[in-house]
Amino acid sequence: MTLPSPSIEYFLLSPMFIVFGVAIAGVLVEALLPRQVRYGTQVILALSGLTAAFVAVVVVARSVPASGQRALLGSVAIDRPALFLQGTVLLVSVLAVIFIAERNQHSALRTAEKSKVFAGLDSFTPQASSVPGSDTELEAERAGVAQTELFPLLTLSVGGMMVFPASNDLLTMFVALEVLSLPLYLMCGLARHRRLVSQEAALKYFLLGAFSSAFFLYGVALLYGATGTLTLSGVRDSLAAQSDTTMALVGVALLSVGLLFKVGAVPFHSWIPDVYQGAPTPITGFMAAATKVAAFGALLRVVYVTLPPLHSDWRPVLWGIAILTMSVGTITAVNQTDVKRMLAYSSVAHVGFILTGVIADNSAGLSGTMFYLVAYSFSTVGAFAIVGLIRRTDGAEDATLSHWAGLGQRSPIVGVMLSMFLLAFAGIPLTSGFISKFAVFKAAAQGGAVPLVVIGVIFSGVAAYFYVRVIVSMFFTEPTDDTPQVVAPGVLSKAAIAVCALVTVVLGIVPQPVLDLAEHAAQLLH
């Protein structure tokens, strides 16, 4: 028996190699450099590495033929949809690194009556391995220790997110799923304040994620047993030639559990509100944006490449999941009193809207879904970045909606920026959210899912209520003694928030270039 010699296409895989190389370099920095220089080194290394990887994605995209190419013995697909989603993940990750890097330890906020010094914007515990509230943790806080392991963890997760939507076989997809997930489990438990809530969120995410990964792997095993191959196109060809697809359908169902868990679709969404609320807010923003892009990329590849022979079987099920996701996310968000939990259930509702583009099962649905992911990612990162600025005097975040009365009157710029992101989530015209929903709903209608579009429009209208409620509280309610302060971020964080706001507005007014790019990429997935 002659085994094929491995062939590594370094140029095609260069964006992923750069990210993983930066992650390894970050681990070496933690091991070899003295503590006082780690922070600056890690920030520069992460930002430069992710930027270089994005440039590499652009260069590879210009050289890849229209049909795309395969790498690593066909296990990785380098085509326009994969590169489009990889570029989105990298841009979002650059913004996330900037927000995670915010480390000013205190901020003087002057009021008309007196001057106070408030705790700064460091969202992460100085000593992750210590017991919350212990002497060891307090000593680390007094010493000004900064948590720098976050940066190699984040870049490792980004590497997994880049491989996930480009996976061309199910085993590679599973490995990518684990690589992107494991660092997230750790980062969710590193909040500086409310440590026990943060650690509880991390444990829930880990346990539920482990179960979903087990379902995914069992589904892979059943599909391999039914078709004799792990490649996506090979599974498709084998299914098209079979008359009895019972085992394959069970495998697809189990495989879908892992993918739908990662995107946060109902009924696999129970981890989202607790994790979004308990995790450090910069990590929440990163998860809510980048993880969704990667997970939907993998879901799109499975649906459009592997499942065409089972079209009549999976589509009705996905209809039900989309309707359930929109309804549960929207209705539950109405009752939330914590802004982070409200945004968590809002993200669940958006998963339902994005699934309408997947259900369309046509080129317009694929391009509309990818455009939605770009627009939603920037708005989400910006919204959570602003939520992270709103603090009590002890430095802890204050996301209680009743405390936000008059916040927009005290800090008009912050209020206006957050309002812009919330209006984009609601799908108000002249924002990226309106174009996004219009694109996926139009594609779904063209694909014969008109009832689903009607349901989506109704829930979009209902969702506007809880977004507007936050705006009314900030601008049309008088401040109280409980109204928190806004801590001024650094220059880079201000620039990153401005970029998120600019993208939200530009994609609402001049969306055509990105729509054309998504449409061009969508024609090449096969």
Side-chain angles (χ1 to χ4, degrees), residues 214-287:
F215 278 111
F216 185 96
L217 192 57
Y218 192 28
V220 170
L222 289 178
L223 277 173
Y224 180 75
T227 62
T229 180
L230 290 172
T231 62
L232 301 184
S233 56
V235 172
R236 176 195 62 209
D237 296 340
S238 179
L239 291 176
Q242 291 181 10
S243 57
D244 184 6
T245 57
T246 304
M247 182 184 291
L249 283 173
V250 177
V252 169
L254 295 174
L255 187 79
S256 300
V257 170
L259 294 173
L260 294 172
F261 172 86
K262 221 58 194 168
V263 302
V266 177
F268 314 107
H269 72 295
S270 58
W271 61 276
I272 284 187
D274 291 335
V275 173
Y276 278 31
Q277 184 181 25
T281 300
I283 300 301
T284 303
F286 171 67
M287 281 196 307

Side-chain angles (χ1 to χ4, degrees), residues 15-57:
M16 289 170 268
F17 281 151
I18 290 172
V19 173
F20 284 120
V22 168
I24 294 170
V27 173
L28 295 176
V29 166
E30 288 297 313
L32 302 176
L33 292 188
R35 184 181 295 276
Q36 58 268 26
V37 299
R38 289 179 196 167
Y39 166 74
T41 305
Q42 292 283 24
V43 172
I44 294 172
L45 186 63
L47 288 177
S48 58
L50 293 173
T51 303
F54 179 77
V55 173
V57 166

Side-chain angles (χ1 to χ4, degrees), residues 163-174:
V163 178
F164 201 35
S167 301
N168 196 46
D169 73 54
L170 296 173
L171 198 56
T172 303
M173 191 173 287
F174 173 74

